[in-house]
Amino acid sequence: MLTMGLDIGSTACKCIILEDGKNILGRAVVSSGAGTVGAQKVYDEALAMHSLKREDLGRLMVTGYGRFSFETADNQKSELSCHAKGIAFLMPTVRTIIDIGGQDAKALRLNAKGMLDSFVMNDKCAAGTGKFLEVMAGRLNVQTEELGDWDAKATEEASISSTCTVFAESEVISKLSMNVNLANLVAGIHRSVAKRVAVLAYRNGIVKDVAMSGGVALNKGVVRALGEELKTEILVHADCQLAGALGAALFAWEELCKQA
Amino acid sequence: MTETVAQKPKRPLPKSRVMVAAQTAKVYQDAWDAKARGEKIGWSTAIFPQEICETMGIPVLYPENNAAAISAKHLGDDLIAYAEGQMRYPMNICSYARLNLALAEKIQDPAYNTADPLLPSPDFVLLANNSCTQLMKWYENLSRNLNIPIFFVDCLFNYDEEKPAAYKVTYIRKQIESYIAEMEKFSGKKFDWDKFLEVQKRSQINSKLFDDIIQLNTRVPAPVNGFDFFNYMSCLVLCRGKESTTEIFKQLKLEIEEHIANGTTSFPAKEEYRVHWEGIACWPNLGHNLKTLKNYGVNAVINGYVTAWNIVYEPGNLDSMAYAYATSSTNSLTTETIMNMRSDTIKKFDCDGMLCHVNRSCKMMTFHIFVGRNIVEEKTGVPCSNFDGDQSDSRVYSEAQFETRVQGLVEIMKENKEAKNG
């Protein structure tokens, strides 16, 4: 029996098709988020990949910022529970998850059974979120996806002292005008994000193993800086960006089993 | 043809709510009438020994309560902007203070009528710093701007002690005695100690009644939507020593007992989860708070804020009264003491979780939350979730963030329940 998890984030939509609650049959990611055609596109792509139709899905669970507005969904769940569920499935030893989303950052703690136990999220501020990275990448005239590679070329970190996204952007402009090396600036930006997110993680309590979830986990520079701030190794699974969608598909499977 | 959508008829307010509205209107009208007669009227902090002016028949209004009412009606933003712009106050100070300081200036223009309810300008202010230290600067500025006196009762913070030391109680008692003498001189009215005893007794009757009412919500499911209690706080803030409050509370108790007898509730959905609400209400966003909680079947059955106005003491005993004013606000207590109280309440009210308002304005009620939630989680085993908001400043709140945090909390509470029930 197939279930689908659809994660409609603020900057990207992710989709997982799961077979019998254990085998990942299909994955799809579209780089446009809630309020766009992204959700429908990623859903269509995932189905088309395996020549499936809606009727072939036993249940469809939606999560993420746009979780309330996908009409054909059977149910919706918060991204908090879905990331916890997805990561616990991918890496069962993980007890602490850091997820940096497009509009928020969260630290999740799981209990020994892999269930969400506690969480802390950012306040009404874009610092430490994917939006911060997006704004900085735009100012540096590089793609957000390239930030990790630039970070690897850094010889030192250019300090970005402002927490506020707008002020940090001004700082970046100022440093660019002083010909500060771009790679070093990127490393400084990653440090700024890591410091902000580490506060959330410490506040929620850190229990090993620690993993990152979500698309920003693909940025090796952020993972490096966060690992240094938390003084621990951060595990990243190849499917980290799809963890929320995977969690949703797993919840869909559980609901299906309960119905049976 | 335009399709007409039938409006869902609003449920009529219960009689007790109508009585509250009438009582509040009368308190404001009495103040305006006194002002028109050339008598002195005052503004007071919310947990000040109100018994003295009540005894002397001097009208007093409460800026914190007024700011809450204005914010709940979405009329606060312009005043806050005026305080930050023309009056140059920083946005980091309390939004009640910003709103009220702006209003105090605006009402000097007789043509001003935008805020609701409108307060007459005060001739004096009453200040007790038992609930907040920022009140001192707020009231000092009122006093300076309007050139009016402050009557100040200095309440010391209770560091590392469950109960205030005896010298602190004596210090407050002496200040109350001095305040009575000063108010006699200022108002030209003689203080009637017999009437004072009656007012004290009435205050105790009302405090006891309110506590009895709150305790009725320990029932599962609760007969009252916890948010309803916000509507009755004004009775204790504005009219703790008045008989009309007794009548309102008796009526409210009757209504709740009726709910219990009929197996009904004022919570507008099936109560799936019970939570403790920590912090001041998010007045401009109360509607969204309630709608979201209702959608998830979450009844905030109890909160520490509505119980802060129960000032319990022995009538005729000034030391006992001083003690009550030293401890009634949890803001004068340590984090551990507050969270022990919260943990006991959570157990007593059979709460499944705690929802904490990280209030940008009220540092006093927010600083302890980050450590406090850990204490509560450890002592009670229930999960806690924070959300950002403000008591009056609508810029701080995000509807999507609130919903995600509530949903996350609900999902943990659901898992806990399922695990508990096997």
Side-chain angles (χ1 to χ4, degrees), chain A residues 240-256:
Chain A
C240 59
Q241 191 177 14
L242 289 142
L246 174 60
L250 287 161
F251 277 121
W253 170 251
E254 283 182 5
E255 288 187 359
L256 206 56

Side-chain angles (χ1 to χ4, degrees), chain A residues 130-237:
Chain A
K131 178 56 78 178
F132 183 90
L133 291 169
E134 197 184 307
V135 169
M136 297 309 150
R139 182 51 64 187
L140 296 173
N141 206 20
V142 300
Q143 295 298 309
T144 314
E145 299 77 26
E146 297 167 4
L147 289 172
D149 294 335
W150 279 106
D151 184 278
K153 294 176 196 163
T155 50
E156 60 182 357
E157 286 178 5
S159 165
I160 307 291
S161 59
S162 302
T163 303
C164 167
T165 307
V166 176
F167 291 148
E169 190 183 11
S170 302
E171 229 177 309
V172 166
I173 293 167
S174 162
K175 287 190 191 296
L176 281 173
S177 71
M178 291 188 287
N179 293 322
V180 173
N181 177 285
L182 195 143
N184 293 350
L185 257 176
V186 170
I189 288 163
H190 290 158
R191 175 69 56 191
S192 170
V193 170
K195 277 182 181 294
R196 180 81 175 173
V197 176
V199 169
L200 292 180
Y202 280 121
R203 185 173 283 172
N204 200 39
I206 296 167
V207 185
K208 288 184 182 176
D209 290 342
V210 181
M212 262 191 85
S213 183
V216 176
L218 296 170
N219 179 334
K220 288 178 181 157
V222 172
V223 177
R224 168 196 63 79
L226 191 58
E228 287 165 11
E229 289 297 324
L230 298 180
K231 300 174 186 66
T232 188
E233 185 194 359
I234 300 205
L235 307 179
V236 177
H237 193 276

Side-chain angles (χ1 to χ4, degrees), chain A residues 65 122-125, chain B residues 74 77 91 95 98 227 277 280-296 355-361 386-407:
Chain A
Y65 188 66
N122 62 315
D123 52 21
K124 198 176 173 182
C125 169
Chain B
H74 305 282
D77 287 351
M91 70 180 295
S95 54
R98 276 175 281 154
F227 268 38
W277 176 283
I280 300 179
C282 229
W283 295 112
N285 311 97
L286 210 53
H288 184 261
N289 291 159
L290 180 57
K291 188 176 143 201
T292 309
L293 293 175
K294 185 191 93 175
N295 287 347
Y296 289 94
L355 192 54
C356 307
H357 177 192
V358 175
N359 184 345
R360 191 66 66 92
S361 269
N386 298 347
F387 73 93
D388 275 52
D390 193 278
Q391 60 210 27
S392 280
D393 191 336
S394 62
R395 292 169 295 186
V396 181
Y397 184 77
S398 158
E399 292 190 353
Q401 285 193 346
F402 179 73
E403 174 141 18
T404 300
R405 282 148 182 75
V406 169
Q407 192 176 11

Side-chain angles (χ1 to χ4, degrees), chain A residues 2-9 13-19 23-29 39 42-44 46-47 54 57-64 67 70 73-77 82 86 241-253:
Chain A
L2 302 179
T3 57
M4 179 186 274
L6 184 55
D7 180 0
I8 307 174
C13 293
K14 291 79 68 179
C15 190
I16 284 275
I17 298 177
L18 194 66
E19 187 182 32
N23 305 318
I24 297 175
L25 202 67
R27 301 167 173 82
V29 177
V42 80
Y43 167 81
D44 290 339
L47 287 178
R54 175 65 178 91
L57 301 173
R59 200 157 177 85
L60 166 57
M61 177 75 77
V62 186
T63 188
R67 65 190 180 280
F70 198 75
D74 292 306
N75 205 352
Q76 55 81 21
K77 218 162 179 85
C82 289
Q241 191 177 14
L242 289 142
L246 174 60
L250 287 161
F251 277 121
W253 170 251

